[in-house]
Amino acid sequence: LFRKSSSSNTSLINSWLSFVYEKEQFISSVANVPVYSPLTIDFLKEFTKNSINEKFPIYAPKVLLDMGVILIYEEAIPTAKVDGVVYVNSYGNPVIALSLRFNRIDNYWFTLMHELSHVLLHYDLLGSPIIDDLENESEDLVEAQADRMALDSLIPRSMWRGCEVKNSLQEKDLFSFSKEIGI
């Protein structure tokens, strides 16, 4: 399942994906990867609280590995237009890879939560990889569901509707709102 723009280069995406597969096979062979413990909405909401720790991306692979989820950071190939991929390996473990093609913490967290949402919502569909280019709008229901869950995990709709920063667009209001919700 590809969510990619028409300008994406399929051969570059496949090359990037081959690097992900290689790393996943190495991790699966040398690490004692536990059986996958199904994710919950409560776990996702609690997991997002780690966003206040700027060093958490270093620890995220270990935290997720303890739940049987393999998280890989694989550098983006320029012009490949891929943000992430999620699939289930032959052992039943979800595998998430992030390209980190945009060097922004908001992109990191949204992409990670989007891929985790796929795991929670669409585990049975992950026999084939879902490759995401999150710049590309998709009308696909599976993608819309993952987007919505990722957004709600980060900032619940009820809190976003009434927040001051939504209207003011002021940095001080953004930081105040961020502190208020712990994200």
Side-chain angles (χ1 to χ4, degrees), residues 120-131:
L120 190 146
L121 296 169
H122 309 120
Y123 179 85
D124 294 339
L125 301 176
L126 299 178
S128 296
I130 297 177
I131 301 172

Side-chain angles (χ1 to χ4, degrees), residues 16 20 71-76 82-85 96-101 107-113 115:
W16 181 81
V20 171
L71 174 59
I72 296 168
Y73 301 134
E74 180 58 44
E75 186 177 355
V82 61
D83 293 302
V85 66
I96 295 170
L98 304 180
S99 72
L100 308 172
R101 78 176 162 135
N107 182 261
Y108 170 84
W109 277 101
F110 180 78
T111 305
L112 179 56
M113 296 312 295
E115 303 306 349

Side-chain angles (χ1 to χ4, degrees), residues 110-173:
F110 180 78
T111 305
L112 179 56
M113 296 312 295
H114 177 90
E115 303 306 349
L116 286 169
S117 295
H118 275 308
V119 172
L120 190 146
L121 296 169
H122 309 120
Y123 179 85
D124 294 339
L125 301 176
L126 299 178
S128 296
I130 297 177
I131 301 172
D132 290 311
D133 168 4
L134 297 176
E135 281 188 312
N136 184 33
E137 290 291 322
S138 174
E139 295 182 16
D140 182 72
L141 178 61
V142 169
E143 291 302 325
Q145 290 171 337
D147 282 349
R148 175 52 45 206
M149 181 168 280
L151 289 169
D152 286 345
S153 296
L154 290 161
I155 303 173
R157 277 181 270 188
S158 60
M159 295 184 98
W160 178 245
R161 282 187 199 113
C163 74
E164 190 172 331
V165 70
K166 183 177 174 184
N167 297 317
S168 75
L169 303 177
Q170 298 294 312
E171 188 175 305
K172 66 177 180 56
D173 294 333

Side-chain angles (χ1 to χ4, degrees):
L1 297 171
F2 282 87
R3 174 183 171 171
K4 62 183 183 71
S5 67
S6 58
S7 63
S8 294
N9 184 320
T10 303
S11 62
L12 290 177
I13 292 171
N14 287 333
S15 294
W16 181 81
L17 191 56
S18 71
F19 297 136
V20 171
Y21 287 146
E22 188 176 317
K23 282 186 177 178
E24 177 264 315
Q25 290 171 354
F26 177 77
I27 291 167
S28 295
S29 67
V30 299
N32 187 15
V33 181
V35 173
Y36 168 60
S37 299
L39 302 178
T40 64
I41 292 172
D42 289 337
F43 170 80
L44 291 185
K45 289 179 180 179
E46 196 58 35
F47 187 77
T48 62
K49 301 295 183 193
N50 292 300
S51 66
I52 62 173
N53 179 351
E54 64 187 37
K55 294 185 180 187
F56 185 76
I58 296 167
Y59 307 112
K62 173 66 174 126
V63 171
L64 291 173
L65 191 63
D66 289 344
M67 298 195 65
V69 177
I70 298 170
L71 174 59
I72 296 168
Y73 301 134
E74 180 58 44
E75 186 177 355
I77 297 173
T79 72
K81 294 190 177 183
V82 61
D83 293 302
V85 66
V86 60
Y87 63 93
V88 172
N89 69 12
S90 58
Y91 304 105
N93 296 96
V95 178
I96 295 170
L98 304 180
S99 72
L100 308 172
R101 78 176 162 135
F102 297 112
N103 187 18
R104 298 188 332 252
I105 196 70
D106 64 317
N107 182 261
Y108 170 84
W109 277 101
F110 180 78
T111 305
L112 179 56
M113 296 312 295
H114 177 90
E115 303 306 349
L116 286 169
S117 295
H118 275 308
V119 172
L120 190 146
L121 296 169
H122 309 120
Y123 179 85
D124 294 339
L125 301 176
L126 299 178
S128 296
I130 297 177
I131 301 172
D132 290 311
D133 168 4
L134 297 176
E135 281 188 312
N136 184 33
E137 290 291 322
S138 174
E139 295 182 16
D140 182 72
L141 178 61
V142 169
E143 291 302 325
Q145 290 171 337
D147 282 349
R148 175 52 45 206
M149 181 168 280
L151 289 169
D152 286 345
S153 296
L154 290 161
I155 303 173
R157 277 181 270 188
S158 60
M159 295 184 98
W160 178 245
R161 282 187 199 113
C163 74
E164 190 172 331
V165 70
K166 183 177 174 184
N167 297 317
S168 75
L169 303 177
Q170 298 294 312
E171 188 175 305
K172 66 177 180 56
D173 294 333
L174 173 66
F175 286 110
S176 175
F177 181 63
S178 175
K179 187 174 183 177
E180 176 187 334
I181 65 172
I183 299 292

